[in-house]
Amino acid sequence: MLVSIIVPCYNEEAALPYFLKEIKKTEAEMSAAYGCHFELIFINDGSRDETLSVLRDFSKHDPSVRYL
């Protein structure tokens, strides 16, 4: 089962690496228990360039991370 998580990313570049780490940990637990996989969709809601740079880097290395 694919679970889509839509996240506003307004100027949270410092918290994004921690958030992604926690989501991946939760996904591993859910996958083992229920067969779930997560798709993260970050929405640009006026974020600074630093935040968008972090998200671009994540999306380059992980196809389950996207930003709009």
Side-chain angles (χ1 to χ4, degrees):
M1 170 187 350
L2 179 63
V3 177
S4 296
I5 301 173
I6 299 172
V7 184
C9 60
Y10 186 72
N11 299 329
E12 294 292 336
E13 65 271 4
L16 286 172
Y18 176 75
F19 175 77
L20 189 60
K21 179 182 172 187
E22 290 300 309
I23 285 291
K24 292 297 181 180
K25 180 178 145 186
T26 302
E27 178 182 26
E29 294 168 0
M30 296 282 291
S31 179
Y34 307 105
C36 293
H37 297 284
F38 291 175
E39 168 187 53
L40 300 174
I41 303 170
F42 290 94
I43 298 173
N44 177 4
D45 52 0
S47 296
R48 296 185 294 248
D49 288 341
E50 295 87 5
T51 303
L52 300 178
S53 177
V54 169
L55 289 174
R56 279 188 210 103
D57 190 47
F58 285 154
S59 66
K60 283 182 197 173
H61 302 291
D62 187 342
S64 69
V65 176
R66 297 186 294 142
Y67 74 96
L68 305 172

